[in-house]
Amino acid sequence: MFIYQKLRQNPDLSVALVFALLTSFIAPPSLAEIGQRINIPLLGLLLFLMCIVAGLRLSGFFAAIFQQLFKGSASGRPLGRFFIFSCYFSSMLITNDVALIIFVPLAIMVFTEARRIRLIVPTVCWQTIAANLGSMLTPIGNPQNLFIYSHYGLEPAEFLAITAPIVLLSGAAIYLATFMLPDVDVPLPARKDAGLPWKKILPLLVLFGLCLLHVVHLLSFPVLAAIVLPGLALLNRHLFKEADYKLLLLFALLFIGVGNLSHIEFFQSWPAKMLAGHEFWVSLLLSQLLSNVPATVLLASYTDAYTPLLLGVNIGGLGTIIASMASVISFKAYLQTRFSMPGYYLLTFTGSNLAVLALLLGYYYLYIAR
């Protein structure tokens, strides 16, 4: 019953499970083949990053930074920019999901306590866009980037050369959009400065640095796991409860299903022929329906053109509310407020997304696709 309820609450996971089971029935894999298809180093790195960042969040590390920067009162526009660009820059290292989990509730709390409700919807919408586009820069910025980086064996410099121009253009567009934020006075409640437990934070930062060394191919995964797993257990074993195991299971099921497809004759050549030369547009459109993580795993098996695929699934995170599942995090946080207006939020969110999407599509068509 518990499993059934969880599957009902997570339709993406349900579809992935059906996909894995159906393809396994058509092309039954051996246990050895299943083990080979599930990318343990990728899933392990994702797990480590989730736990480490959860430790930093629970320590109050990010809230303390805000308290040091803003005291007494602030203007609505600079404050909104802080929340938006906190998502933009932090998502490059802690993933778009985690950036939104940290800074969206913080923005909602601050504006609610200050009785500046009309700042919430535009700020949260642009926080979401900022997190989805800022995370595009680095291999660890979001799950689809980490998969593409690992799947194609890319180097850091090569990856950044692809993503940096789009991310810079996105940042400029987001900054210009912040001029639409109401520039009203925002009184901030006095808060008692709480000391941070640096003895716990510094080891977490060291473990995070080791993860980065693995990303740039300077530390093997077995060595990383041998250090990080016991390190997290010694610091706080409860951090393992903070990981998004649904995402890890979703990846594992997709790996199994896509691996099975490669052993079904019909899917061995036809999808690759249909995809050839259209990787960007197919991945962008498929992201609108499935979200960009499943779209990435499904399409990567049929193309070696990683540049249009990487750009397509990241730019494809704009558009519908499900194009990037990180966007759902913001929406759910907003719905928990007592004054939420879902229709107004979705209208603002979709309009803002489509405006930035049009800009980036124009850039892609003029400077990359030609």
Side-chain angles (χ1 to χ4, degrees), residues 93-362:
L93 295 176
I94 64 175
T95 76
N96 51 352
D97 304 69
V98 176
L100 293 171
I101 288 171
I102 293 169
F103 292 105
V104 165
L106 183 59
I108 291 174
M109 180 191 71
V110 169
F111 289 137
T112 300
E113 291 183 354
R115 300 177 183 273
R116 297 295 183 265
I117 306 302
R118 64 190 180 118
L119 278 163
I120 292 178
V121 169
T123 300
V124 172
C125 286
W126 284 101
Q127 279 182 291
T128 308
I129 293 171
N132 284 333
L133 291 174
S135 66
M136 178 180 178
L137 181 67
T138 64
I140 62 172
N142 54 52
Q144 68 268 17
N145 278 11
L146 194 55
F147 173 78
I148 291 173
Y149 182 79
S150 171
H151 182 79
Y152 293 103
L154 303 180
E155 294 296 326
E158 183 180 12
F159 190 95
L160 291 173
I162 297 170
T163 59
I166 294 286
V167 173
L168 289 173
L169 176 61
S170 301
I174 292 167
Y175 179 77
L176 291 175
T178 61
F179 282 98
M180 295 186 294
L181 293 173
D183 200 19
V184 295
D185 182 64
V186 181
L188 300 175
R191 297 183 186 277
K192 192 175 183 179
D193 286 337
L196 289 174
W198 286 106
K199 289 184 179 179
K200 293 182 179 179
I201 291 174
L202 288 176
L204 287 169
L205 293 176
V206 170
L207 294 180
F208 184 77
L210 293 175
C211 290
L212 293 182
L213 289 179
H214 172 67
V215 170
V216 297
H217 310 305
L218 295 178
L219 190 68
S220 68
F221 180 76
V223 174
L224 178 71
I227 299 172
V228 175
L229 277 174
L232 288 170
L234 288 171
L235 287 171
N236 184 357
R237 67 180 183 277
H238 297 294
L239 292 178
F240 290 107
K241 297 179 181 179
E242 299 294 323
D244 184 357
Y245 292 101
K246 173 203 157 185
L247 176 63
L248 298 178
L249 180 58
L250 178 65
F251 260 122
L253 292 172
L254 289 171
F255 288 154
I256 293 170
V258 170
N260 293 338
L261 283 183
S262 66
H263 288 76
I264 300 174
E265 185 177 354
F266 177 76
F267 291 101
Q268 288 176 343
S269 59
W270 175 76
K273 292 178 182 178
M274 294 293 293
L275 188 61
H278 307 289
E279 292 84 0
F280 175 81
W281 298 104
V282 172
S283 58
L284 187 146
L285 293 173
L286 195 59
S287 295
Q288 304 302 309
L289 302 174
L290 300 180
S291 89
N292 46 16
V293 172
T296 304
V297 179
L298 286 171
L299 296 177
S301 298
Y302 297 107
T303 180
D304 294 324
Y306 53 81
T307 295
L309 177 63
L310 176 60
L311 295 176
V313 294
N314 276 283
I315 296 175
L318 300 169
T320 65
I321 192 75
I322 64 168
S324 168
M325 294 310 295
S327 302
V328 179
I329 294 173
S330 302
F331 185 48
K332 286 182 177 179
Y334 174 72
L335 289 179
Q336 291 173 2
T337 63
R338 63 180 181 275
F339 42 77
S340 65
M341 296 183 288
Y344 174 61
Y345 179 94
L346 289 174
L347 184 63
T348 304
F349 174 86
T350 305
S352 303
N353 269 259
L354 291 178
V356 181
L357 178 60
L359 172 67
L360 298 185
L361 288 180

